[in-house]
Amino acid sequence: MNDQSQIAAAAAKDPENFALANCLRVLAIDAVNAANSGHPGAPMGMADAATVLFRKHLKFDASAPDWPDRDRFILSNGHASMLLYGLLHLTGYEDMTIDQIRNFRQWGAITAGHPEWGHAKGIETTTGPLGQGLATAVGMALAERALAAEFPGLVDHRTWVMLGDGCLQEGIGQEAISLAGHLGLGKLNVLYDDNNITIDGPTSVSFSEDVPARLAACGWHVISCDGHDAKALDAAMAEAKAETSRPSLIAMKTTIGFGSPNRAGTAKAHGAPLGEEEAVLAKAALGWTEAPFDIPADLAASWHEIGARGTKERQAWEAKLKASERGATFNARIAGDFPDNYADTVTAARKALFETPQKVATRKASQLALEKLAAAVPAMIGGSADLTGSNLTRVDAVDNQFTAEQPGRYIGYGVREFGMAAAMNGLALHGGFKPYGGTFLVFSDYARNAIRLSALMGLGVTYVMTHDSIGLGEDGPTHQPIEHLASLRAIPNLYVFRPADAVETLEAWDIALRSSKTPSLMALSRQNVPQLREAGSENLTERGGYVIREFGMSRDVTLLATGTEVSLAIEAAEALNVQGYGVAVVSMPCWELFDAQSEVYREEVLGSAPRIAIEAALPFGWTRYVDREADVIGMPGFGASAPAERLYAEFGITAEAIKVHAKALVAK
């Protein structure tokens, strides 16, 4: 708990900073009390550090929130959202009005319970799931370094992160820390709110490690200071900025709920309103006499001056950009524009496939597409979670490795699937890049929460997920994805592609690159598949589903399939047609795109005849297209360890099984 002497000591060290920080504290108290919901303790404890950062070190201009060369500020412990909203309001971000603060956590307000990217200017990423803000910030630091090398003189900014114990306890936090240290991201600066409190009580309940020592062991520059001493904080931030070869951690010893006489330093300050009585006591202890939500004019003016502190620097940068011979190229990159030759590149790649059909695994087809597209689109930056040789994500255009010594277009993420996915979100959010990264489809579970945030934020990130079924063979059920397609298809605003051949794979890549507001996931095969598509100029994959083969003058049955099973469906259809049946085969590379088509188109493709679905995965979800799960030829459970051909035979995913089922269904 706070005593008056601790508060007096903080006030004496820098009275101006203390008074400005109190504006943040009381806004957090008032907004959380008004909502009767929220987390006042962290904003109250971190207010001194946030004030020093915005007042003296952060490069920003509140009147130009999207200035490309601004510093990025990430509140990784997103439950402390009122700290960020208070900062944006006080510094003069136009959309963060006092009414938005008053309506914290209410319907229609941009002041959501956790910061959401796109809701308000100045929110650089969605945070809340702990650790992801830090990992996303690593992606932003990667983007800054890569873009600075490509556009020298136009890019020179930092990424600042505030986080708490929860971000460090989550596994993704360690993935991010390890990667950032290995790559020497010297413009990444982290402010650690070391307050010894979590929801369950003191951190000693579950957390006893030496955090500074852990980060030092990962190659970080580490500084420790009193989180309520403005001068010590100022010196620590200056030291962090001076270190350019290593990321910096500033471990700030703070008191959660600073100023609250009865809750400071306890778990009670974390996730519940102080209440009217304790709010009055806290404000009195801090020397605050204003009515709720009122900020004294002199302090409000000082905060607005802080918000305008970077205006001249921003204007000088804009003049430099205007004078630069690469200014137009830089603006196009930040805007996400495609090079003029992009469409011609896709057309030529399609033409080459039709002229020389490729019987390859779709992971190899993906590499063939990447060879052409990455050369044409400099914004593409790739990587893999230590599976480059299996994912086939590395091509000549991105063959320069990102290292601590120099940036490159290919990032070795190591065995850090979750960290990779979150870092790709950061690369996309920063601007200037179209990131993609690979792993096995079964490991999408490790990355899932970052994939979810990609979809929630609407980011053009591409996930390359290979070894998409029991077709990977001998590695067995631990590596054979069975439930993963259904699980991923359940995420809103995510394109899940399972292409049938090289043409569909190229088309899926084209869609993914052009989909700036929807992430894409490629489920790609290990085993070879024949090229099924015949010549044509339309991107049929963009339809999500289409009739790829039709046998007979009328339909007796429709076979729906994805990926490697489309060729099995065509084989079965040919055999059925010989026996007199009319059969249509529908390839469905992307359910989400198919469901977005008109009802007339969908009915035309699906037809009125009985339908069977074929996919080497759980049947779950297919009943939106077929009458019963019994009409899905798929996996009844987990796979097994054996060659792919044996597995398909043992689990009954064969052309013969399709033919038998179709005849029985038509005979009903």
Side-chain angles (χ1 to χ4, degrees), residues 87-106:
L87 287 162
L88 299 179
H89 169 66
L90 291 168
T91 54
Y93 282 75
E94 187 177 3
D95 58 349
M96 192 57 70
T97 64
I98 193 62
D99 285 339
Q100 293 292 345
I101 301 293
R102 288 178 183 275
N103 286 289
F104 176 56
R105 290 187 164 217
Q106 303 308 300

Side-chain angles (χ1 to χ4, degrees), residues 138-149 179-180 182-186 381-383 394 398-414 427 433:
V138 169
M140 293 180 178
L142 289 168
E144 190 278 340
R145 178 181 283 183
L147 211 60
L179 182 61
H182 173 71
L183 293 177
L185 299 179
I381 186 167
R394 191 165 192 157
V398 297
D399 198 35
N400 50 331
Q401 187 78 29
F402 199 117
T403 67
E405 291 71 36
Q406 61 182 20
R409 286 181 66 184
Y410 197 82
I411 302 167
Y413 288 104
L427 283 157
F433 292 101

Side-chain angles (χ1 to χ4, degrees), residues 69 152 164 199 288 316 322 383 477 482 588 618:
D69 202 38
I199 292 174
W288 193 269
K322 187 175 181 180
I482 301 302
M588 300 194 67
L618 288 180

Side-chain angles (χ1 to χ4, degrees), residues 87 217 305 330 332 590:
L87 287 162
E305 288 175 8
F330 178 83
C590 183

Side-chain angles (χ1 to χ4, degrees), residues 387 391 438-446 464-469 472 479-485 488 496-498 521-524 617:
L387 288 169
N391 300 148
T439 187
F440 289 166
L441 182 59
V442 76
F443 299 142
S444 62
D445 280 345
Y446 287 146
V464 181
M465 302 282 185
T466 69
H467 296 60
D468 68 340
S469 72
L472 67 88
H479 282 53
Q480 293 166 3
I482 301 302
E483 73 278 21
H484 298 74
L485 287 169
L488 291 162
V496 179
F497 292 99
R498 190 164 184 252
L521 186 145
M522 311 279 187
L524 305 172

Side-chain angles (χ1 to χ4, degrees), residues 248-392:
S248 293
L249 172 79
I250 301 174
M252 313 178 303
K253 184 57 68 175
T254 62
T255 299
I256 192 172
F258 184 87
S260 173
N262 299 303
R263 296 194 182 184
T266 72
K268 291 180 180 179
H270 172 76
L274 293 188
E276 290 187 17
E277 183 178 344
E278 187 66 15
V280 170
L281 293 174
K283 290 178 182 180
L286 294 167
W288 193 269
T289 59
E290 306 299 317
F293 297 105
D294 282 353
I295 303 296
D298 59 332
L299 294 177
S302 293
W303 269 112
H304 271 266
E305 288 175 8
I306 292 170
R309 185 171 56 81
T311 300
K312 288 184 179 179
E313 188 173 6
R314 187 258 303 169
Q315 290 172 340
W317 179 88
E318 288 175 343
K320 185 192 298 184
L321 176 69
K322 187 175 181 180
S324 172
E325 62 182 18
R326 302 209 64 204
T329 304
F330 178 83
N331 285 333
R333 280 288 294 276
I334 295 299
D337 296 341
F338 282 89
D340 293 339
N341 67 336
Y342 175 74
D344 290 341
T345 299
V346 175
T347 299
R350 178 197 302 277
K351 184 172 182 288
L353 288 176
F354 289 137
E355 289 176 351
T356 309
Q358 300 291 314
K359 182 178 182 179
V360 294
T362 52
R363 63 170 176 162
K364 179 61 179 177
S366 171
Q367 187 181 46
L368 295 174
L370 280 172
E371 285 175 352
K372 304 297 185 183
L373 299 178
V377 184
M380 292 181 70
I381 186 167
S384 171
D386 199 49
L387 288 169
T388 295
S390 296
N391 300 148
L392 303 182

Side-chain angles (χ1 to χ4, degrees), residues 150-171:
E150 195 172 347
F151 297 94
L154 294 179
V155 181
D156 182 12
H157 55 263
R158 295 184 169 275
T159 304
W160 295 87
V161 182
M162 276 191 160
L163 54 72
D165 291 301
C167 293
L168 298 174
Q169 290 179 40
E170 287 283 1

